[in-house]
Amino acid sequence: MKKETISASQLFALIFLFELGTALVVPIGLESGHAVWIAILLALPGGLLLYLIYVYLYRQYPGMIISGYTRKILGNVLGWPLSLTYIPILLFNGSRNLHESGELLIAASYDRTPVFIIYAMMVVAVIYILNKGIEVFARAAEIYMLIIILLGLTSCFLVIAAGLVKLDNLFPLQASDWKNALKSAYLNIWLFPFGEMVCFTTILPHIKKTKVAKRTGIIAMTLCGLLLSFTHAIEISVLGTEIYSRANFPMFTTITLVNLANFIQRLDALVLLTLIIGVFFKMSVYCYAAMVVTADLFKVQDSRKLAVPVGIVVLFGAFISSANYPIHMDEGRIFLKYILPYFCAAVPILLCIVHYIRRKLGSIG
């Protein structure tokens, strides 16, 4: 089978949509209060450092995904079961993204639609795009990145034009605010959304030119960090810290307040489209990563055959995951504290250290 390849611009689009994903819509870094926009900027360098680790491993083992070089570095006895643990983590995170999209859609417009139907429609779209392969998926990302940018610019312009922004909600920044921002940045925002870039260890081997992976990823992540900081700053400036921290979807709450001359209002659709597109691509990347890791471990020749089973697992995972949104958020905090550090940081750093030691000792190629 011919190897699928993607260009630098397509990698940029995938990273852009993945990083923004649900992070645009849901509240993040609540511990930092009104300094959350500072916390995002503080977490960005750490996120870039993690990405450089992923790129380093990719360059040391070109053509291999994370499960491949985990077994290469640690050996099959340790590497295979360790790689196997990636699969449920990827599927769980994919189902969480699906759950969040369903919650917002039901709260906004589809309160009489069974949530299972909403989940199923999203999963069918994900299965379809993954069956087409990474090339088609990446080309679609280029198109939808432009749509997301247009939606974002329109939303921000309307919020500012409506006179809703109050800079007093962002300032002043006391010494305690900087301390809380730093505490929130590491580990919370560092891992979500920046640490989740570990999924791209399964996509990097498809890049046409190996050398562009580092530069493209750094530019894309930096841009996303700035956009996230700006977006959440606007949300806090409009809603204030108290409402921002209590709102399930602060962006949605913010956009509902827009009313220009009693004519331009009820712009909920802008946020809904942003969330649907973001969740679709973020969930698709998680599902793709789960597919190729499973195929690599269990010697499946064509990973696309796993699109349907993976989609079904994510669908039912989202449906049975939590009884309500507060429980869903509590589960997310536990996952962020105990699981993501291992998945996003500990394992890749361990692999780098062991690879370096073995290379120095001459026991690895």
Side-chain angles (χ1 to χ4, degrees), residues 249-316:
F249 303 100
M251 176 183 277
F252 180 76
T253 305
T254 300
I255 204 70
T256 57
L257 299 177
V258 173
N259 184 1
L260 287 172
N262 291 323
F263 178 68
I264 299 178
Q265 51 185 297
R266 297 193 60 82
L267 302 172
D268 312 3
L270 296 179
V271 176
L272 295 181
L273 283 173
T274 300
L275 178 72
I276 291 171
I277 295 171
V279 167
F280 171 76
F281 281 94
K282 190 161 190 173
M283 183 172 63
S284 295
V285 170
Y286 270 113
C287 289
Y288 175 80
M291 281 169 46
V292 295
V293 169
T294 303
D296 181 50
L297 292 177
F298 295 96
K299 310 301 180 185
V300 178
Q301 293 298 319
D302 187 359
S303 62
R304 287 180 289 185
K305 294 179 180 178
L306 300 173
V308 173
V310 165
I312 291 174
V313 171
V314 169
L315 170 61
F316 284 95

Side-chain angles (χ1 to χ4, degrees), residues 100-122:
E100 287 165 1
S101 67
E103 287 288 340
L104 177 56
L105 289 172
I106 288 174
S109 302
Y110 299 95
D111 53 303
R112 296 188 178 183
T113 304
V115 67
F116 186 81
I117 299 300
I118 295 175
Y119 292 162
M121 293 178 67
M122 290 285 289

Side-chain angles (χ1 to χ4, degrees), residues 225 326 364:
I364 193 168

Side-chain angles (χ1 to χ4, degrees), residues 14 16 78 146 181 194-195 204 210 226 237 282 290 298 315 330 346 349-350:
L14 283 172
F16 183 87
L78 292 176
L146 299 177
F194 299 119
L204 292 177
T210 303
L226 296 174
S237 69
K282 190 161 190 173
F298 295 96
L315 170 61
D330 289 339
I349 292 172
L350 172 66

Side-chain angles (χ1 to χ4, degrees), residues 6-20 51 138-139 141-146 149 197 200 203-204 207 212-225 227 281:
I6 61 175
S7 65
S9 62
Q10 290 168 344
L11 175 66
F12 182 95
L14 283 172
I15 293 175
F16 183 87
L17 292 171
F18 180 84
E19 282 292 273
L20 295 182
Y51 180 73
R139 287 198 294 270
E142 286 185 297
I143 297 172
Y144 280 96
M145 180 181 71
L146 299 177
I149 291 173
M197 281 294 295
F200 279 78
I203 294 177
L204 292 177
I207 302 174
V212 304
K214 179 179 177 181
R215 181 178 69 253
T216 302
I218 289 175
I219 295 173
M221 289 183 67
T222 301
L223 177 61
C224 288
L227 289 175
F281 281 94

